Amino acid sequence: MPQFNDTELTAAVLESFEETPDPRVKFLMEELVKSLHAFVRKTDLTFGEWEYAIDFLTRVGQKCTPSRQEFILLSDVLGVSMLVDAVNHREREGATETTVLGPFYVGEHKAMPHGTDISPNLQGEKMFVQSRVTDLAGKPLANVPVDVWHADDDGYYDSQRPDYETSGPSSRARFITDEDGRISFRTILPCSYPIPTDGPVGQMILGVRRHPYRPAHVHFLVNAPGHEPLVTHVFIEGDKYIDSDVVFGVKEELISKIEKRTDANMPDGKPAGSTPWHLMTYNFRVRPGVGIAPKPMMAVTEDA
Amino acid sequence: MPQFNDTELTAAVLESFEETPDPRVKFLMEELVKSLHAFVRKTDLTFGEWEYAIDFLTRVGQKCTPSRQEFILLSDVLGVSMLVDAVNHREREGATETTVLGPFYVGEHKAMPHGTDISPNLQGEKMFVQSRVTDLAGKPLANVPVDVWHADDDGYYDSQRPDYETSGPSSRARFITDEDGRISFRTILPCSYPIPTDGPVGQMILGVRRHPYRPAHVHFLVNAPGHEPLVTHVFIEGDKYIDSDVVFGVKEELISKIEKRTDANMPDGKPAGSTPWHLMTYNFRVRPGVGIAPKPMMAVTEDA
């Protein structure tokens, strides 16, 4: 006959998962229950706090749209996204460090010729980016698709703009490595920007007196066949928020010293246009493996 | 300079809450982060599992409407709601045991005269319910509002019916205790019923091979001035699901032995109409205290 005090209750809930067909699902459910129950017991959570949590999670879910994923944002600001990245990449073996995909990846980008200006219509300081993709032994990898994307000078990604569907990509492209593993492109120097603060996650961040900023960075997704897909950012040294990224995504190895140049031509021999301009040089090392390149996670599934 | 491995990351996230103005909020955020991070680290959560969790939580949030709260359902089936109840009611001092409010409380009910049939238009076996409210010393408490509600013979609450707004309450009323602390009413014998299985929580329950049923019960909310509001159910002995309530709400003390009667009159001297009928007798003891009676938690707040 059931009669649960607070510890007996946990045992009963754990037992309810006995018939779970998949052992991994069973393990995850059991650990989830242990973890949630330990939290409630340790904090002596009040009814009012429980109600607040229910309402908060509901608002997070209802803020999600086909172009916004507030639960990923919640995971990000609690450091959970970076921790999932960390536990899945404990051994790098010399490969480039990883960081979060972020919510602004929109799937495979359109391939463009090397040297293309991917931000032709944007205000900002000009930047030339050059990179080389190699394996762990330093051997260049040819024909590797490299997706790049970054925020504009106002701190917005193209996909956040209301006219994104009609005006097409900006500061977003794919380059294919040449025989020497190299890519290059023109763009603008990105700036630091706040995560969206008009939803429950932003309100939470401001409520606990955290700032909402990410330090300036360029996203890279390097997807070499026969190698583990590399999801990372290159950060810009000296950024005001480099030590306090709101999503905890910075790793020292991923910080690039950007050079200020006054040469009339950029490294591909073509005119810089205006001077000075910036040069970002960052090379990627990928390690053997298989893996599915990440897909964007925006759409709410049909049974929602 | 930041460079987080999986353990350093947790420390950095905890430190980000340093400036939180309210010490209780700071404590809750820190414990939440410790708990979430420990879960990810212990399970070595994969990217695919993390994505599934993000999508699941999003679907739970998007299933919520002004008349449905899927996050409360999630809390219920993981035993979290009953645990919050347990840690807030560790010492009963002889007062009646508590259980979950559930998602079908709709706020203050309409007061009705003793003996009223609150389910006049429903199919089902007739039942007379009699109860008495006393303090811990057994002294009857007069003029105490007692809200009652239960499911119909098909397992639905009135508030789940599409025509609820126009047809008004059914199997739902308020009675005010008389000078001797007593209330009584006529209704039908409730039956066991499944929680909603057309949403992500129901799908999860079925996926782990749990049944979705709650054993038959009548909800009571006893709100005596100067006493702690009592939120509880009275369960019906012999129910098929009495040992496996999907929300873990059963407590032995709350199980009532229902008597089958063939008397022509019910205890208030008025005709039973048809026979046999059932008699539920259950008395409540409340303890001194203050407290705000629970409010229904359906509405999604405006900034959702």
Side-chain angles (χ1 to χ4, degrees):
Chain A
M1 191 61 73
Q3 176 73 30
F4 303 131
N5 64 26
D6 59 324
T7 48
E8 292 161 351
L9 178 61
T10 304
V13 180
L14 292 175
E15 204 186 314
S16 77
F17 293 103
E18 268 311 304
E19 304 298 324
T20 307
D22 184 314
R24 174 69 179 171
V25 173
K26 180 168 182 281
F27 172 70
L28 290 173
M29 293 305 301
E30 288 170 347
E31 291 302 321
L32 177 67
V33 166
K34 284 186 211 168
S35 178
L36 283 170
H37 283 218
F39 174 77
V40 171
R41 208 175 283 117
K42 179 162 185 188
T43 60
D44 270 334
L45 200 71
T46 69
F47 283 109
E49 289 160 355
W50 173 84
E51 284 178 14
Y52 187 92
I54 295 286
D55 182 61
F56 178 80
L57 291 169
T58 304
R59 285 185 285 131
V60 171
Q62 303 230 330
K63 195 74 187 176
C64 296
T65 68
S67 62
R68 177 156 181 176
Q69 229 311 346
E70 192 83 354
F71 265 115
I72 292 186
L73 198 60
L74 179 58
S75 169
D76 289 351
V77 303
L78 296 178
V80 172
S81 307
M82 275 307 288
L83 185 61
V84 171
D85 185 72
V87 300
N88 284 283
H89 294 115
R90 284 203 170 97
E91 288 305 320
R92 296 305 295 150
E93 300 165 346
T96 303
E97 287 287 345
T98 53
T99 188
V100 287
L101 179 67
F104 302 117
Y105 182 61
V106 297
E108 285 187 20
H109 295 169
K110 188 185 160 200
M112 295 187 186
H114 291 187
T116 301
D117 184 354
I118 66 171
S119 307
N121 304 315
L122 296 183
Q123 296 290 318
E125 299 175 34
K126 296 288 175 199
M127 179 167 75
F128 189 87
V129 178
Q130 54 188 10
S131 177
R132 192 180 191 207
V133 178
T134 69
D135 66 12
L136 294 180
K139 188 182 139 235
L141 296 174
N143 295 315
V144 174
V146 179
D147 284 336
V148 306
W149 65 106
H150 68 79
D152 66 20
D153 211 40
D154 294 328
Y156 289 102
Y157 288 81
D158 56 357
S159 59
Q160 291 178 284
R161 298 283 186 191
D163 62 350
Y164 174 61
E165 288 299 329
T166 50
S167 60
S170 176
S171 310
R172 180 186 300 276
R174 161 171 292 188
F175 297 95
I176 311 291
T177 58
D178 66 14
E179 287 307 304
D180 197 31
R182 296 181 192 277
I183 64 163
S184 66
F185 57 95
R186 287 166 168 75
T187 187
I188 58 166
L189 189 69
C191 62
S192 50
Y193 62 86
I195 58 166
T197 53
D198 62 336
V201 174
Q203 288 162 11
M204 179 187 88
I205 286 299
L206 300 178
V208 298
R209 303 292 186 273
R210 283 171 56 179
H211 72 70
Y213 283 87
R214 299 213 62 202
H217 58 274
V218 178
H219 291 259
F220 289 88
L221 167 54
V222 181
N223 197 11
H227 293 76
E228 193 181 69
L230 173 66
V231 176
T232 198
H233 307 350
V234 176
F235 293 92
I236 300 194
E237 192 186 58
D239 189 282
K240 182 178 174 189
Y241 301 104
I242 201 81
D243 289 333
S244 63
D245 183 359
V246 69
V247 308
F248 309 95
V250 179
K251 293 177 176 176
E252 193 171 358
E253 183 194 298
L254 298 176
I255 300 171
S256 173
K257 191 174 164 65
I258 309 294
E259 298 173 50
K260 202 164 210 171
R261 294 293 185 98
T262 51
D263 318 37
N265 291 335
M266 285 180 169
D268 60 359
K270 293 178 187 162
S274 59
T275 60
W277 50 276
H278 303 272
L279 177 63
M280 171 186 278
T281 306
Y282 199 92
N283 298 328
F284 300 105
R285 293 161 73 96
V286 293
R287 64 175 193 170
V290 288
I292 298 157
K295 297 264 178 292
M297 271 199 62
M298 295 303 215
V300 169
T301 54
E302 64 186 67
D303 58 351
Chain B
M1 192 61 72
Q3 176 72 31
F4 303 131
N5 63 27
D6 60 324
T7 49
E8 292 160 351
L9 179 62
T10 304
V13 180
L14 292 176
E15 203 186 314
S16 77
F17 293 103
E18 267 311 303
E19 303 298 324
T20 306
D22 183 315
R24 175 68 180 173
V25 173
K26 180 168 181 282
F27 172 69
L28 289 173
M29 292 306 299
E30 287 169 347
E31 291 303 320
L32 177 66
V33 166
K34 284 186 211 168
S35 179
L36 284 170
H37 284 218
F39 173 78
V40 170
R41 206 175 285 115
K42 178 160 188 189
T43 60
D44 269 335
L45 200 71
T46 69
F47 284 108
E49 289 160 354
W50 174 83
E51 284 177 14
Y52 186 93
I54 294 286
D55 183 60
F56 178 80
L57 291 169
T58 304
R59 285 185 285 129
V60 172
Q62 303 230 330
K63 194 75 188 176
C64 296
T65 68
S67 62
R68 177 156 180 176
Q69 228 312 346
E70 193 82 354
F71 265 115
I72 291 186
L73 198 61
L74 180 58
S75 169
D76 290 351
V77 302
L78 295 177
V80 172
S81 308
M82 275 307 289
L83 185 61
V84 172
D85 185 73
V87 300
N88 283 282
H89 293 117
R90 283 202 170 97
E91 287 305 321
R92 296 307 294 152
E93 301 166 342
T96 303
E97 287 288 344
T98 53
T99 188
V100 288
L101 180 66
F104 301 118
Y105 183 60
V106 297
E108 285 188 19
H109 294 170
K110 188 184 160 200
M112 295 186 186
H114 291 187
T116 301
D117 184 352
I118 66 172
S119 306
N121 303 316
L122 296 183
Q123 297 290 320
E125 299 175 35
K126 296 288 173 197
M127 180 167 73
F128 189 87
V129 179
Q130 55 188 9
S131 177
R132 193 179 191 207
V133 178
T134 70
D135 66 12
L136 294 181
K139 189 183 137 232
L141 296 174
N143 294 315
V144 175
V146 179
D147 284 337
V148 304
W149 66 107
H150 67 78
D152 66 20
D153 210 40
D154 294 327
Y156 290 102
Y157 287 82
D158 56 357
S159 59
Q160 291 177 285
R161 299 283 184 191
D163 62 350
Y164 174 61
E165 289 299 329
T166 50
S167 61
S170 176
S171 309
R172 181 186 298 276
R174 162 172 290 189
F175 297 95
I176 311 292
T177 58
D178 66 15
E179 286 307 302
D180 197 30
R182 295 181 192 277
I183 64 163
S184 66
F185 58 94
R186 288 168 167 74
T187 186
I188 58 166
L189 189 69
C191 61
S192 50
Y193 63 86
I195 59 165
T197 53
D198 62 336
V201 174
Q203 288 162 12
M204 178 187 89
I205 286 298
L206 300 178
V208 298
R209 303 292 186 272
R210 282 171 55 179
H211 73 70
Y213 282 87
R214 299 212 62 202
H217 58 274
V218 179
H219 291 260
F220 289 88
L221 167 53
V222 181
N223 197 11
H227 293 75
E228 193 181 70
L230 173 66
V231 175
T232 197
H233 306 352
V234 176
F235 293 92
I236 301 201
E237 192 186 60
D239 190 282
K240 182 178 174 189
Y241 301 105
I242 202 82
D243 288 333
S244 63
D245 183 359
V246 68
V247 309
F248 309 95
V250 179
K251 292 176 177 175
E252 193 171 358
E253 182 194 300
L254 299 176
I255 300 172
S256 173
K257 189 174 166 64
I258 309 294
E259 299 173 50
K260 201 164 211 175
R261 294 293 186 99
T262 52
D263 318 36
N265 290 334
M266 285 181 167
D268 60 359
K270 292 178 187 161
S274 59
T275 59
W277 52 277
H278 302 272
L279 177 63
M280 172 187 278
T281 306
Y282 199 92
N283 298 328
F284 300 105
R285 292 161 75 97
V286 294
R287 65 176 192 169
V290 287
I292 299 156
K295 297 265 178 291
M297 272 199 62
M298 295 303 214
V300 169
T301 54
E302 64 186 68
D303 57 351

